[in-house]
């Protein structure tokens, strides 16, 4: 086999932990960092491979002020959501890792992106170490992709892959997946840390030398145990995670690292029969089944990256005197739920000790920021008291252990999204005096009532209707009849 490394290759052995990637010069039975047993595998490395890092600019020192900003034209990937997450398109020569659980849709996303680039006359090399040409053909037919301009190769040997790439000189290379690739002169099975890392280095060098962007996929397991993208994050330029709940058709593309843009952007997709489609107005999608004035249901303006997103939080409390009460959290953090229940019990006087409590975020979303605390608390209280939230209400705020409400970031952006979707009241913590005037002023013209509360107890009084409950439900039923 042709060695991937030219020059004087003085090789030596190191031992690499297959769990966490730690390198040591001598074999040990147990990794001193991650404490995994028998996880070290001998790996031959060549000194040139270690010392020669690729540089796209020269080697000499330059004063930063004298450096001319290289203007690179970014590739437009067709999907506006992907472009935004990348910071405005794909940078030539960049190595982008798309990580995600198996089956989430990484291959589908990259095939669709390849097709869109190919349509714009870019030659695309699509290399799969996992699927055969027939499988890809089937998938592309399902996605309505003709395949002109996409050159497919099913090959796990990376040295052969690089040779093919040199021959083709594509404008974009896709490698699916990095765990399926191997180099013959590296010890370890495909997917082991040493293989994955060396393969990524090889691709990084190829991308920089040829100024061609390379997209690679990487599987992450729930535990992140196998040589996951975690160990590659420092090699690649951009790390994107493709995420979603298994039962939901919505997928989010998040950026965890980006050398060419902010990591605050999130792209949203829906997986359908003919592949992934962008979701341009996610708030509307997630509220499509929301019914105004439902007991136990509160809308919260969350932020996904820097983009506001309205989600519906539902809670159901049911009496249970026989077994220890159960708490179920779908889409919110379980420990956060316990904290909120404790605060509601101790600081707002809700007797929840004999109640089973289920909290659910609709649409299969996960919301992890503390800004949703008040939404969860209001939904639980609404269900417990059988009291509806006041008309067209959104709630936001972090709940403290003393029952106080704490401010959240980017309040304006969140309220603006609520206004955009026609909500009329926003239950929230008291605004700090420095910004209060400005924020109240900016929403004066908008038809929204900012209801400020200092504690959870006060917020529940202001945000939930009293006595409206039972007879209202009866009334509505009568109306329907
Ligand atoms: P895939 O891209 O193979 O996932 P990954 O590469 O991340 O492992 O996507 C696999 C899933 O996507 C599979 O379960 C079927 C589903 N899917 C659709 O729902 N619609 C489609 O058009 C395609 C191509 C796949
Ligand atoms: Mg795949």
């Amino acid at each position: 086999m042709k060695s991937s490394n030219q020059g004087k290759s003085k090789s030596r052995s190191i031992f690499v932990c297959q769990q966490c990637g730690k390198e040591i010069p001598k074999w040990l039975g147990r990794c001193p960092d991650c404490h995994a047993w028998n996880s070290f595998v001998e790996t031959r490395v060549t000194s040139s491979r270690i010392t020669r890092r690729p540089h796209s600019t020269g080697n000499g020192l330059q004063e930063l002020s004298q450096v001319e900003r290289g203007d690179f034209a970014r590739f437009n990937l067709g999907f506006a959501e992907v472009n935004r997450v990348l910071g405005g398109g794909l940078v030539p020569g960049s190595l982008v890792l798309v990580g995600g659980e198996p089956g989430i849709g990484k291959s589908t996303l990259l095939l669709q992106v390849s097709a869109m680039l190919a349509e714009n006359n870019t030659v695309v090399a699509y290399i799969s170490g996992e699927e055969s040409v027939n499988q890809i053909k089937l998938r592309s037919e399902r996605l309505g992709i003709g395949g002109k301009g996409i050159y497919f190769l099913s090959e796990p040997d990376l040295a052969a892959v690089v040779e093919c790439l040199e021959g083709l000189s594509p404008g974009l290379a896709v490698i699916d997946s990095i765990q399926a690739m191997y180099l013959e002169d590296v010890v370890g099975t495909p997917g082991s840390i040493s293989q994955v890392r060396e393969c990524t280095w090889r691709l990084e060098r190829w991308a920089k030398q040829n100024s061609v962007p390379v997209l690679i996929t990487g599987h992450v397991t729930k535990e992140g145990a196998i040589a996951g993208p975690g160990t590659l994050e420092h090699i690649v330029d951009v790390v994107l995670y493709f995420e979603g709940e298994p039962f939901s058709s919505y997928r989010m593309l998040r950026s965890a690292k980006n050398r060419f843009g902010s990591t605050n952007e999130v792209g949203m997709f829906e997986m359908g029969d003919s592949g992934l489609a962008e979701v341009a107005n996610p708030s509307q999608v997630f509220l499509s089944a929301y019914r105004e004035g439902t007991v136990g249901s509160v809308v919260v303006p969350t932020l996904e990256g820097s983009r506001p997103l309205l989600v519906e939080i539902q809670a159901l409390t049911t009496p249970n005197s026989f077994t220890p009460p159960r708490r179920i959290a779908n889409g919110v953090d379980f420990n956060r739920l316990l904290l909120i229940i404790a605060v509601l019990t101790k600081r707002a006087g809700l007797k929840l000790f004999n109640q089973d409590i289920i909290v659910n975020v609709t649409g299969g979303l996960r919301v992890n920021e503390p800004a949703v605390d008040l939404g969860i608390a209001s939904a639980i209280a609404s269900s417990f008291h059988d009291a509806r939230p006041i008309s067209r209400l959104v709630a936001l705020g972090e709940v403290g252990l003393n029952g106080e409400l704490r401010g959240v970031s980017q309040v304006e952006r969140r309220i603006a999204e609520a206004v955009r979707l026609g909500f009329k009241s926003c239950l929230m913590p008291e605004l700090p005096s420095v910004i209060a005037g400005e924020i109240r002023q900016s929403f004066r013209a908008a038809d929204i009532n900012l209801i400020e509360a200092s504690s959870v107890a006060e917020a529940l009084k202001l945000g939930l209707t009293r006595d409206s409950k039972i007879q209202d439900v009866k009334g509505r039923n009568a109306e329907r009849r």
Side-chain angles (χ1 to χ4, degrees):
M1 200 205 76
K2 200 179 108 186
S3 166
S4 54
N5 219 37
Q6 306 98 359
K8 292 170 263 126
S9 45
K10 234 170 98 190
S11 74
R12 63 186 177 97
S13 273
I14 57 165
F15 294 85
V16 181
C17 171
Q18 301 300 300
Q19 294 285 329
C20 70
K22 185 173 177 64
E23 292 174 4
I24 49 172
K26 277 208 173 111
W27 190 84
L28 279 180
R30 192 181 192 194
C31 174
D33 277 10
C34 71
H35 307 302
W37 287 100
N38 209 9
S39 63
F40 282 103
V41 168
E42 184 173 8
T43 307
R44 293 205 73 75
V45 287
T46 48
S47 51
S48 57
R49 200 173 286 171
I50 297 171
T51 49
R52 270 215 329 240
R53 261 198 81 136
H55 287 282
S56 43
T57 58
N59 283 330
L61 291 169
Q62 284 182 325
E63 194 183 13
L64 195 53
S65 63
Q66 303 302 315
V67 177
E68 298 239 346
R69 183 170 171 270
D71 258 339
F72 38 76
R74 291 182 184 240
F75 282 84
N76 174 358
L77 289 185
F79 276 134
E81 297 282 293
V82 182
N83 288 334
R84 203 159 43 77
V85 173
L86 285 169
L90 191 59
V91 174
S94 63
L95 186 61
V96 177
L97 171 69
V98 180
E101 285 170 30
I104 204 75
K106 301 179 292 296
S107 307
T108 308
L109 178 71
L110 294 196
L111 192 57
Q112 285 184 263
V113 162
S114 302
M116 290 178 193
L117 271 185
E119 256 168 42
N120 286 334
N121 302 322
T122 304
V123 173
V124 179
Y126 190 105
I127 319 293
S128 180
E130 300 180 343
E131 287 161 305
S132 67
V133 64
N134 283 329
Q135 283 170 311
I136 293 284
K137 185 69 194 168
L138 268 178
R139 186 198 301 255
S140 62
E141 273 174 5
R142 184 170 170 186
L143 297 171
I145 293 171
K148 198 159 168 43
I150 305 179
Y151 293 83
F152 182 79
L153 175 71
S154 176
E155 173 65 70
D157 180 348
L158 193 69
V161 168
V162 170
E163 231 167 82
C164 272
L165 292 180
E166 310 245 281
L168 180 68
S169 332
L172 169 77
V174 174
I175 310 286
D176 185 20
S177 68
I178 194 65
Q179 274 106 346
M181 295 290 152
Y182 71 89
L183 282 164
E184 236 168 60
D185 52 352
V186 174
V187 179
T189 51
S192 64
I193 287 214
S194 38
Q195 282 288 0
V196 165
R197 225 173 20 181
E198 285 297 318
C199 289
T200 312
W201 261 118
R202 188 76 193 86
L203 289 168
E204 158 78 9
R205 255 180 303 166
W206 186 84
K208 294 288 179 294
Q209 279 162 1
N210 296 281
S211 279
V212 171
V214 178
L215 301 175
I216 57 182
T217 67
H219 300 299
V220 230
T221 58
K222 276 242 156 60
E223 303 80 35
I226 313 176
T231 50
L232 310 179
E233 286 186 356
H234 51 280
I235 306 178
V236 301
D237 298 307
V238 180
V239 180
L240 306 178
Y241 279 98
F242 205 39
E243 304 171 338
E245 298 291 326
F247 52 84
S248 159
S249 59
Y250 293 106
R251 303 280 182 267
M252 269 195 211
L253 189 67
R254 250 178 238 284
S255 139
K257 165 182 176 178
N258 191 348
R259 289 189 176 143
F260 314 107
S262 118
T263 50
N264 265 338
E265 297 293 346
V266 174
M268 200 142 220
F269 298 88
E270 185 174 9
M271 177 70 92
D273 285 341
S274 51
L276 292 156
E278 295 177 281
V279 179
N281 194 348
S283 294
Q284 213 160 35
V285 172
F286 287 107
L287 291 185
S288 56
Y290 170 68
R291 282 203 34 240
E292 156 75 12
T294 312
V295 166
S297 166
V298 173
V299 174
V300 179
T302 63
L303 282 183
E304 280 297 343
S306 60
R307 174 199 258 190
L309 177 63
L310 296 191
V311 297
E312 178 187 356
I313 295 187
Q314 295 183 324
L316 187 65
T317 62
T318 46
N320 167 9
S321 313
F322 303 109
T323 56
R326 275 168 298 190
R327 277 81 172 90
I328 300 173
N330 292 326
V332 299
D333 182 53
F334 184 71
N335 290 322
R336 203 76 208 163
L337 173 62
L338 295 187
L339 182 150
I340 292 165
I341 293 171
V343 171
L344 283 174
T345 307
K346 184 95 179 175
R347 311 283 177 208
L350 269 68
K351 296 192 174 59
L352 297 171
F353 58 87
N354 60 352
Q355 301 283 321
D356 285 345
I357 301 177
I358 308 169
V359 171
N360 187 31
V361 180
T362 60
L365 273 186
R366 269 204 82 75
V367 283
N368 278 333
E369 54 162 359
V372 302
D373 287 358
L374 182 61
I376 299 174
S378 322
I380 294 174
S382 165
S383 174
F384 181 68
H385 288 310
D386 245 328
R388 289 185 288 121
I390 61 172
S391 174
R392 301 214 67 82
L393 176 81
V394 294
L396 72 114
E398 179 180 344
V399 168
L401 286 186
N402 289 324
E404 80 277 18
L405 276 189
R406 293 164 169 267
V408 300
S409 62
Q410 314 213 37
V411 184
E412 262 184 289
R413 210 173 255 194
R414 298 172 195 259
I415 303 176
E417 180 76 351
V419 170
R420 194 172 74 81
L421 280 128
F423 285 85
K424 300 285 183 231
S425 300
C426 179
L427 190 60
M428 57 194 279
E430 283 173 341
L431 288 164
S433 48
V434 218
I435 55 163
E438 195 185 316
I439 290 186
R440 287 192 200 114
Q441 181 61 35
S442 63
F443 289 105
R444 190 140 296 156
D447 184 17
I448 191 158
N449 183 16
L450 305 184
I451 309 173
E452 295 172 47
S454 59
S455 69
V456 181
E458 189 189 351
L460 296 183
K461 272 199 202 101
L462 296 169
L464 300 180
T465 48
R466 296 275 148 183
D467 315 318
S468 57
K469 35 196 178 178
I470 310 298
Q471 66 271 41
D472 266 34
V473 175
K474 277 187 192 150
R476 252 187 293 160
N477 285 345
E479 250 171 56
R480 269 197 221 128
R481 270 185 240 122

